Amino acid sequence: MKQIKILSLFLILIISGCSQVNKAADFITNPTAKEKYKRDFKVSDELFSIWENSVEIAFQDSVSVNLPYAETGKFFPRNFSVYSYEIELQPGEVFNVEVETDSIRRLVFIELFEKTSDSTNLFEKVKSSDFQKKNLSFEADKKANYKLVIQPEIEAYTAFTIKMEKNPAYLFPVASGVNASVQSYWGDNRDGGARSHEGIDIFSKRGTPVVAATSGSIGYTGEKGLGGKQVWLRDRKRNQSLYYAHLDSIANVSGNVKRGDTLGFVGNTGNARTTPPHLHFGIYKSYRGAINPLHFVYQTNVLETEPEKLDSIPHKLIVQNSKANLRNKPTTSNSKILSTSESQDTLQFLGKTNEWFHVRNPENKASFIHQSLVTPNSPLTPKGGINQIFMAQDWDKFRELC
């Protein structure tokens, strides 16, 4: 009887502790989010292989977007849809992406790849979203092209909104400063071309507070050399030092400081005494010397309004013009024509961004097409209605442009 009780207790512990066992095993084996999905949702090997291999489609696509960007659409079960977007990032820019869905239980997998070769489509994964998370954040440490890949779970059936934007890693170092305050850039000539500018100059009124662009520790404060009154702030997280020069005066700071703390005040000391008051802001990487600080502080646009919600979703779109250009970007300016469709050609609907549809052609290549060039094969009426967005006399003009 005692043995039966012990066995029963053991079975209860096993049943109740399955998730804990998995967590312990995951700590050792470190499975990917997709591997956890296969295990926890008991996806068959064959189905999982089809789903996982469908990502290869993304590496044949060449659609590109400018940030911020938003797209709405719907995931359909066993549709094996894959969404990919090429973006460019500079050192110091933080890329953020989030996928919102109507069903919080549905899984979405987000992966970011760096393009390692311009001559070939070679990519290396640099970041993945955590299991059961629908967002990803990545700070670039080099100028590079990246491919974002978004893939819903196999049985996903939900409307979605994709939101992407980028932000500077640092706070703007001059209080109330804006991008237009930067009037001298990295690489500008100095001393008649004898040297180049290793930083940016941010102009402001004398006495304007200069702030810690990030949390860190004070390395040096004082007056010396070309920089006059200056402060050095150590950023241990990124293994680099921030240089604040030409200060009118230095705040009483030492030790550790927090992001936004006042370090000093704008002036024109040192070799800037003949110029209007400004802050020379520089960044020095311990093993690379000076690097361009602009994108660490350059303020970027954010999504100002919520993307429009689609009242209904088409499965296919029918080309209604005699010729319709399929582009790599959702714009007629600075975009490439990837292919051309003809009247009555059928395109697979992926999503919609402003007046553009994200589609796949019969060859399964992704692109963008202007909404004036297609007709949904099922009713799709954004708020306000497609026909209310364009007056009839504008349609021919837009068709020629697109």
Side-chain angles (χ1 to χ4, degrees):
M1 188 69 175
K2 184 177 180 181
Q3 289 179 336
I4 294 175
K5 287 183 178 180
I6 293 174
L7 181 59
S8 299
L9 179 60
F10 180 69
L11 290 173
I12 291 171
L13 287 172
I14 290 176
I15 294 169
S16 63
C18 278
S19 61
Q20 298 302 319
V21 170
N22 283 339
K23 288 181 181 179
D26 290 349
F27 182 78
I28 299 171
T29 61
N30 194 29
T32 66
K34 289 184 175 180
E35 288 170 341
K36 291 181 182 178
Y37 165 56
K38 180 179 184 297
R39 180 195 66 199
D40 293 358
F41 286 73
K42 297 179 175 58
V43 182
S44 70
D45 291 342
E46 183 179 9
L47 190 59
F48 182 79
S49 179
I50 295 172
W51 175 78
E52 188 175 41
N53 291 337
S54 63
V55 171
E56 294 303 317
I57 297 171
F59 297 104
Q60 307 305 316
D61 293 335
S62 55
V63 299
S64 176
V65 296
N66 296 324
L67 303 177
Y69 176 83
E71 179 177 327
T72 55
K74 192 167 188 176
F75 298 138
F76 293 95
R78 305 211 176 196
N79 199 36
F80 300 105
S81 295
V82 178
Y83 295 71
S84 71
Y85 312 84
E86 292 187 5
I87 58 173
E88 182 182 273
L89 296 176
Q90 302 280 349
E93 291 182 330
V94 180
F95 172 64
N96 295 294
V97 57
E98 180 182 11
V99 182
E100 297 176 352
T101 59
D102 285 349
S103 173
I104 61 174
R105 290 189 300 247
R106 289 307 179 192
L107 303 181
V108 178
F109 299 85
I110 308 172
E111 297 174 308
L112 187 67
F113 299 81
E114 179 188 334
K115 192 170 187 178
T116 56
S117 172
D118 289 331
S119 58
T120 58
N121 267 353
L122 293 179
F123 295 89
E124 179 182 350
K125 187 188 296 185
V126 293
K127 192 76 179 284
S128 299
S129 59
D130 293 333
F131 184 51
Q132 296 183 325
K133 298 294 184 181
K134 299 174 187 173
N135 61 284
L136 178 148
S137 182
F138 172 78
E139 181 177 331
D141 62 0
K142 67 177 79 170
K143 179 182 178 180
N145 291 315
Y146 297 85
K147 184 180 286 285
L148 175 72
V149 179
I150 297 174
Q151 185 179 22
E153 64 162 291
I154 296 168
E155 301 298 342
Y157 183 56
T158 177
F160 71 81
T161 300
I162 298 170
K163 296 179 181 179
M164 308 179 210
E165 60 184 18
K166 62 182 178 181
N167 307 105
Y170 288 160
L171 187 67
F172 202 80
V174 174
S176 301
V178 295
N179 292 335
S181 304
V182 181
Q183 297 178 23
S184 181
Y185 293 87
W186 170 268
D188 288 351
N189 287 334
R190 290 292 186 269
D191 297 337
R195 62 186 179 90
S196 61
H197 194 209
E198 293 188 338
I200 57 175
D201 289 342
I202 304 170
F203 287 78
S204 188
K205 292 182 180 180
R206 184 183 304 277
T208 302
V210 167
V211 300
T214 187
S215 298
S217 59
I218 300 298
Y220 170 82
T221 62
E223 185 172 5
K224 64 178 180 180
L226 301 179
K229 293 180 181 179
Q230 57 194 258
V231 172
W232 287 81
L233 175 64
R234 182 66 180 164
D235 177 5
R236 291 192 181 90
K237 177 181 177 181
R238 299 172 181 85
N239 197 27
Q240 56 196 29
S241 294
L242 283 56
Y243 175 52
Y244 299 76
H246 308 317
L247 302 178
D248 188 61
S249 60
I250 300 170
N252 184 21
V253 290
S254 62
N256 295 326
V257 295
K258 294 181 180 179
R259 175 184 167 107
D261 286 351
T262 299
L263 304 181
F265 303 89
V266 171
N268 61 343
T269 57
N271 69 340
R273 56 187 176 276
T274 61
T275 68
H278 67 274
L279 169 70
H280 171 91
F281 180 72
I283 298 177
Y284 289 81
K285 202 82 172 174
S286 59
Y287 58 91
R288 287 169 51 189
I291 61 174
N292 189 351
L294 181 63
H295 297 285
F296 282 86
V297 300
Y298 196 83
Q299 299 160 340
T300 53
N301 295 328
V302 297
L303 289 168
E304 296 180 353
T305 58
E306 284 294 313
E308 66 174 4
K309 298 295 185 181
L310 303 181
D311 293 335
S312 60
I313 306 294
H315 288 280
K316 303 290 182 181
L317 299 168
I318 308 300
V319 176
Q320 62 180 9
N321 216 35
S322 58
K323 294 286 184 181
N325 292 328
L326 301 174
R327 296 179 176 270
N328 72 322
K329 292 183 177 181
T331 176
T332 55
S333 61
N334 299 318
S335 64
K336 297 178 182 178
I337 297 175
L338 298 178
S339 62
T340 302
S341 288
E342 299 181 352
S343 179
Q344 300 306 304
D345 282 354
T346 300
L347 305 173
Q348 179 189 349
F349 171 83
L350 293 178
K352 190 167 187 289
T353 176
N354 297 323
E355 296 89 21
W356 293 81
F357 287 115
H358 187 189
V359 299
R360 286 194 180 278
N361 67 6
E363 288 74 44
N364 212 16
K365 301 289 187 180
S367 59
F368 292 99
I369 188 169
H370 196 270
Q371 66 179 13
S372 65
L373 304 177
V374 293
T375 300
N377 72 336
S378 61
L380 185 151
T381 310
K383 293 177 180 177
I386 288 178
N387 291 329
Q388 292 182 28
I389 298 175
F390 287 92
M391 300 298 290
Q393 61 265 28
D394 294 329
W395 278 58
D396 290 336
K397 174 183 175 183
F398 270 90
R399 287 171 182 165
E400 291 176 4
L401 287 172
C402 299

